[in-house]
Amino acid sequence: MGYFPGMHVADAMADVAEDSERVVRAACQQCAVREQVTVPADRHDKYLQGGLIQEVFPEYSAQQREVLMNALPPWRVDRPFSYFLCTDCWHDMGAE
Ligand SMILES: [Zn+2]
């Protein structure tokens, strides 16, 4: 990617973000609220190709990993028991 005199830096950075990051969403099965996580595309690919989530995203919170594991299309991962709860519903259930 080339830089041109007078090109806005913000525009250049937006291009990079689009190429290297992915916004993954999951919908709460209780209240339909959607949560989203932004992940580096290369690491997300690793996960989609069969990587273990705790190894690919060790610094992510359990809730962020839940979003990735229960992602809506196009990032859906084939899981037999997909059940995502948003942070609020999770707390309502007293599970934390
Ligand atoms: Zn919810």
Side-chain angles (χ1 to χ4, degrees):
M1 197 186 341
Y3 289 86
F4 305 100
M7 185 180 183
H8 292 290
V9 175
D11 289 345
M13 286 176 70
D15 278 345
V16 171
E18 227 169 74
D19 285 349
S20 62
E21 291 189 331
R22 230 170 245 171
V23 177
V24 179
R25 296 181 178 84
C28 176
Q29 314 230 328
Q30 194 131 307
C31 71
V33 155
R34 289 183 180 199
E35 292 196 356
Q36 66 179 52
V37 177
T38 303
V39 293
D42 54 339
R43 287 166 67 191
H44 192 229
D45 280 339
K46 216 178 199 179
Y47 168 63
L48 294 177
Q49 285 158 15
L52 291 173
I53 193 132
Q54 62 268 35
E55 289 179 6
V56 182
F57 299 107
E59 82 278 30
Y60 280 53
S61 71
Q63 183 69 14
Q64 287 173 314
R65 291 180 198 169
E66 284 296 314
V67 171
L68 297 175
M69 288 190 287
N70 298 290
L72 294 167
W75 308 118
R76 174 180 285 284
V77 179
D78 198 15
R79 286 177 98 219
F81 302 104
S82 175
Y83 195 82
F84 178 73
L85 291 178
C86 70
T87 313
D88 286 346
C89 291
W90 187 251
H91 283 288
D92 285 351
M93 289 181 67
E96 185 128 274

